[in-house]
Amino acid sequence: MPRMKKLKSWMPLVLLCWIVFIFCRSLQPVDASKLESQWVLDLLQRLVPFKLSMHMVRKLAHFTEFAVLGGLAGLLFGGRCRHLWTGLLFAVMTGVVIALCDETIQLFVPGRGGQLQDVWLDVAGAFTGATLVLAVRAVWNRRK
């Protein structure tokens, strides 16, 4: 169990690093962001047999970034809260706050803009990530 305690002690830092990663993506100027998205689109297009658009890739990036955020927050709060639902609530609320901050940051970056639909997509990603992590945790705990 000492190994698990050490891992738990690192979770706030890991979550903070992921938040910084998300904010750094939002601070990119529009040209750098488009270049990065184009690189991801080219990579994904080689892996899937159907046509993808830049819009799909950018929205998938929002969802994925926040699914990871929700999963990390679920790990952090799921282990510290007495009830699973409380851990889920804290994880999703973390996603809401970071999504709002993320889209607000984009209002101040040339060529970028915050969008309410992206906030909803981010929250959906955070909810999905947190739910998956906490569901696996619940199953794991029942098997013990």
Side-chain angles (χ1 to χ4, degrees):
M1 279 306 189
R3 194 169 166 189
M4 195 61 153
K5 275 190 175 192
K6 193 171 188 174
L7 180 65
K8 285 181 184 180
S9 70
W10 280 93
M11 282 312 301
L13 181 61
V14 172
L15 180 61
L16 180 64
C17 287
W18 190 256
I19 292 168
V20 169
F21 172 80
I22 290 172
F23 289 167
C24 285
R25 306 262 76 61
S26 292
L27 287 167
Q28 287 183 327
V30 69
D31 293 336
S33 179
K34 283 182 180 178
L35 256 168
E36 191 174 82
S37 295
Q38 186 62 53
W39 179 84
V40 172
L41 175 61
D42 293 342
L43 175 70
L44 288 175
Q45 204 56 74
R46 291 185 197 138
L47 300 174
V48 297
F50 50 88
K51 182 88 171 123
L52 294 169
S53 69
M54 181 69 75
H55 180 75
M56 289 168 66
V57 167
R58 293 180 77 79
K59 298 307 173 188
L60 182 63
H62 269 276
F63 186 85
T64 305
E65 281 179 347
F66 278 83
V68 171
L69 176 82
L72 292 172
L75 283 172
L76 175 65
F77 295 119
R80 294 171 190 240
C81 294
R82 188 174 217 175
H83 301 288
L84 205 59
W85 293 109
T86 308
L88 179 64
L89 177 66
F90 278 116
V92 173
M93 290 310 297
T94 300
V96 169
V97 169
I98 299 305
L100 290 169
C101 292
D102 182 49
E103 292 304 311
T104 302
I105 287 170
Q106 290 182 35
L107 295 173
F108 300 100
V109 177
R112 306 279 302 262
Q115 295 183 345
L116 184 59
Q117 70 185 21
D118 286 345
V119 172
W120 284 107
L121 187 59
D122 296 344
V123 171
F127 176 79
T128 302
T131 300
L132 287 173
V133 163
L134 291 172
V136 167
R137 182 186 180 98
V139 169
W140 181 266
N141 286 343
R142 282 201 177 146
R143 291 184 72 193
K144 281 185 170 181

